[in-house]
Structure formats: structure tokens, C-alpha cells
Amino acid sequence: MSGDDAGSPEIDAAVADLLQKKGTLEMVVEIGEHGSQRHTDLRKELLLSSSTIQQRLKEGKQQDLWEQTLEERGDIAAKVYQLTPLGNIIYENALDLDLDQLYRSKRGITRAIDNRERRVIVGSSPPDAEWLAEISMEEHELHSVQQFLQQFGDS
């Protein structure tokens, strides 16, 4: 990381490379929106594997995008991640381009597609097929999908 004359942090090539890896910038936005996030919080919201999230958290900490702290949550101290000044600058730049809204919409659409694909499989299968129980029929909140689709309506 390098700084300009005003002392404002700027990214270097290593940070730029990390930001281009799947999920990193989306994690910056997610942590920035909530102030702090646990690995579990990120896993519930983002469409990334636990191992990808863990790897990005490690790399983001090494590149000074976020820091790991302990935060009281109920009766326990939880390990959380909070943006650093560099992470906050990147987050603000992402907000200027509405990436927060686009990421939410993208996740909503992806979840809706996944659910409908599973419905097609179940609807096309014999009702007594033993393997049907193995198909997860998770329903995700359709509200975000509906909000995304409203932007294409006439109203």
C-alpha cells in the first residue's frame, strides 16, 4: 500500500490483484455495510464457500483491507472483521458505483434461479424417487429479487 501527499491510502498492485479475486470486493462491501462481520455472517449472506471466505479474510488482513478484533455479541466475544482506512476508501468508492445494491440483486437473482432449477428437477422427477430427499429446497427471500426486477418495470 502506498499513500499520496495528503496521506490518503491508495492501493498497490498486490491489493489490486486481491480485489480482482472472486468475492474480495463483495466482502469489503458487506463488512462496510454492517461495520463488522464474522466469518459466519459472511457465509450466510455471500454465495461463496467457507474456504474461499476464510482465504479472502486472511489475504484481506495481510493487505490491510480489514482488521480482526473481538466484539461482544450477547454473552460471547466473537471474532469480527472491520474495515481499515484503506478498506473504507474502497468501500466508499464501491458505494459511489452502487455496488452494494448490485451485489444484493445478484445474490437474490442467483438464489431465485437455484431454487427454480431445483423445482424443475423435483417437478420432472417421479414422486417416489429415493434421491429426491437429497435435493435441497432452500427458499431464499424473494424480496430482494422483486426489488431488483422493479427497476425494469414501468412504475
Side-chain angles (χ1 to χ4, degrees):
M1 180 178 78
S2 65
D4 63 15
D5 293 334
S8 177
E10 295 177 341
I11 67 171
D12 59 19
V15 173
D17 286 345
L18 176 58
L19 289 172
Q20 293 177 69
K21 287 185 176 181
K22 179 181 180 180
T24 305
L25 193 50
E26 188 172 6
M27 288 173 64
V28 169
V29 170
E30 191 67 21
I31 294 169
E33 281 186 331
H34 297 279
S36 67
Q37 288 286 81
R38 300 173 299 165
H39 177 281
T40 305
D41 300 326
L42 295 168
R43 179 69 187 107
K44 285 180 185 175
E45 187 59 32
L46 304 179
L47 301 174
L48 300 170
S49 71
S50 183
S51 62
T52 298
I53 291 171
Q54 187 60 40
Q55 184 63 34
R56 297 299 177 269
L57 286 171
K58 178 182 172 185
E59 293 169 326
K61 201 167 103 179
Q62 291 169 342
Q63 294 300 328
D64 198 36
L65 294 179
W66 42 72
E67 60 188 5
Q68 180 182 310
T69 61
L70 289 178
E71 183 178 278
E72 292 298 321
R73 292 200 176 184
D75 294 339
I76 61 167
K79 184 170 36 172
V80 298
Y81 297 87
Q82 297 174 315
L83 296 181
T84 61
L86 175 61
N88 273 309
I89 288 171
I90 295 166
Y91 171 64
E92 292 298 327
N93 287 337
L95 288 183
D96 289 344
L97 296 173
D98 297 325
L99 271 180
D100 56 331
Q101 295 171 16
L102 292 170
Y103 283 137
R104 275 193 301 276
S105 297
K106 175 183 168 185
R107 290 190 301 261
I109 293 293
T110 300
R111 287 176 172 138
I113 290 169
D114 290 348
N115 286 331
R116 290 182 188 192
E117 287 174 344
R118 286 189 286 270
R119 287 180 186 165
V120 166
I121 294 167
V122 169
S124 303
S125 303
D128 58 347
E130 294 177 15
W131 45 266
L132 275 178
E134 297 173 17
I135 298 175
S136 171
M137 289 302 292
E138 287 182 41
E139 286 294 331
H140 296 281
E141 187 177 336
L142 288 178
H143 178 69
S144 59
V145 176
Q146 291 167 340
Q147 282 183 324
F148 173 75
L149 293 175
Q150 282 177 355
Q151 70 182 332
F152 300 109
D154 293 337
S155 51

